[in-house]
Amino acid sequence: MPTLTTLVSFNGAKGASPQAGLIFDAAGDLFGTTKSGGTSDTGTVFEIAKTSGGYNSTPTVLVSFGTDPVSDLIADAAGDLFGTTQLGGDYGNGMAFEVAKTAGGYASTATRLVSFTNNNGDPVSGLLADAAGNLLGTTKFGGALDDGTVFEIAKTSTGYSSVPATLFGFNGYNGATVNAGLIADAAGNLFGTTTYQGTFGDGTVFEIAKTSTGYASVPITLFNFDDTHGSEPFAGLILDAAGDLFGTTDSGCANGDGTVFELARTGS
């Protein structure tokens, strides 16, 4: 049986209940978030330093939040970290944040980029940066029918826009409740999943086409789950070199216990 090495055991003060994955930098240091723990017991951004013998057994808390971060982080070319929280911000509906890389490490306070409202709020997944540096993501709720949204935070000459632009809101017919983030293909088209609704009520796989001026305002539904092929995808997608999409569903199929699926790219 393979041996599992425990790198870090969280203890509350240094974070607790990590619910998202890790990323690493060029030096091999690991970065992530915890939903709780830290100074206010409401989450942290942490680093686990790479050492000559493996990894530091104690995480370094870069930022203590008051806002429950539950998403993965991303990093830009300068090493700055970006993520979202599902609570907090000016309206209690979450925010997108940046933790700046400094000459000596990282800033001890996160910069709030945008605060989400009832109309566009509750991000529970991470962000995606496009080729221009714009940040893209999803919200679980919000939009005209409260079925979730896809948003963009535009990169500006001085930083980032302080207001997220809603690219579109889901309406049930094309899916509802977005629990996962986005991926992009080489052309910049965006792909994701909705957990519920669609034609059969079991969720969808969708695409948002890249256009010459930005992104299409209406999503393309690539697949409607129907229980027979799986139901309720909570996680996001990955893309192979041929453009085929892969993901999972929480339930459905023959045994009702979920699936791993592939959505093949075709000539059209």
Side-chain angles (χ1 to χ4, degrees):
M1 179 178 293
T3 301
L4 179 73
T5 301
T6 299
L7 300 182
V8 165
S9 291
F10 290 97
N11 62 4
K14 296 287 188 179
S17 301
Q19 295 191 2
L22 298 167
I23 62 171
F24 57 83
D25 65 12
D29 303 320
L30 303 173
F31 300 84
T33 61
T34 66
K35 182 181 180 182
S36 55
T39 303
S40 303
D41 196 28
T42 45
T44 70
V45 173
F46 65 85
E47 176 184 2
I48 303 172
K50 185 83 166 69
T51 68
S52 59
Y55 288 92
N56 196 327
S57 61
T58 302
T60 300
V61 176
L62 302 181
V63 171
S64 280
F65 278 102
T67 47
D68 294 345
V70 295
S71 70
D72 296 345
L73 300 169
I74 61 171
D76 65 12
D80 302 320
L81 304 172
F82 299 84
T84 63
T85 68
Q86 65 175 337
L87 301 175
D90 293 333
Y91 311 104
N93 294 107
M95 68 179 189
F97 65 85
E98 175 184 3
V99 181
K101 185 82 166 71
T102 67
Y106 286 89
S108 60
T109 303
T111 300
R112 183 185 304 169
L113 300 180
V114 301
S115 289
F116 293 93
T117 68
N118 282 329
N119 293 327
N120 59 15
D122 301 303
V124 295
S125 59
L127 299 166
L128 170 73
D130 68 12
N134 304 307
L135 302 174
L136 299 142
T138 64
T139 63
K140 185 174 183 177
F141 303 116
L145 299 177
D146 205 30
D147 286 328
T149 73
V150 172
F151 66 84
E152 178 182 11
I153 303 171
K155 185 83 166 70
T156 69
S157 58
T158 57
Y160 291 90
S161 173
S162 61
V163 178
T166 299
L167 299 183
F168 67 85
F170 290 94
N171 62 13
Y173 295 104
N174 55 23
T177 313
V178 193
N179 284 293
L182 301 166
I183 62 169
D185 66 12
N189 303 306
L190 306 175
F191 301 85
T193 62
T194 68
T195 302
Y196 303 116
Q197 297 304 317
T199 302
F200 306 105
D202 293 314
T204 69
V205 176
F206 66 86
E207 176 184 1
I208 305 166
K210 185 77 171 73
T211 70
S212 58
T213 57
Y215 294 93
S217 59
V218 177
I220 301 165
T221 300
L222 299 180
F223 191 78
N224 286 283
F225 289 97
D226 58 3
D227 192 63
T228 300
H229 296 91
S231 177
E232 300 178 4
F234 274 83
L237 302 165
I238 61 172
L239 188 74
D240 70 10
D244 302 324
L245 299 170
F246 298 82
T248 62
T249 65
D250 180 68
S251 57
C253 208
N255 300 312
D257 293 322
T259 69
V260 174
F261 65 85
E262 175 185 1
L263 195 59
R265 175 88 170 132
T266 68
S268 59

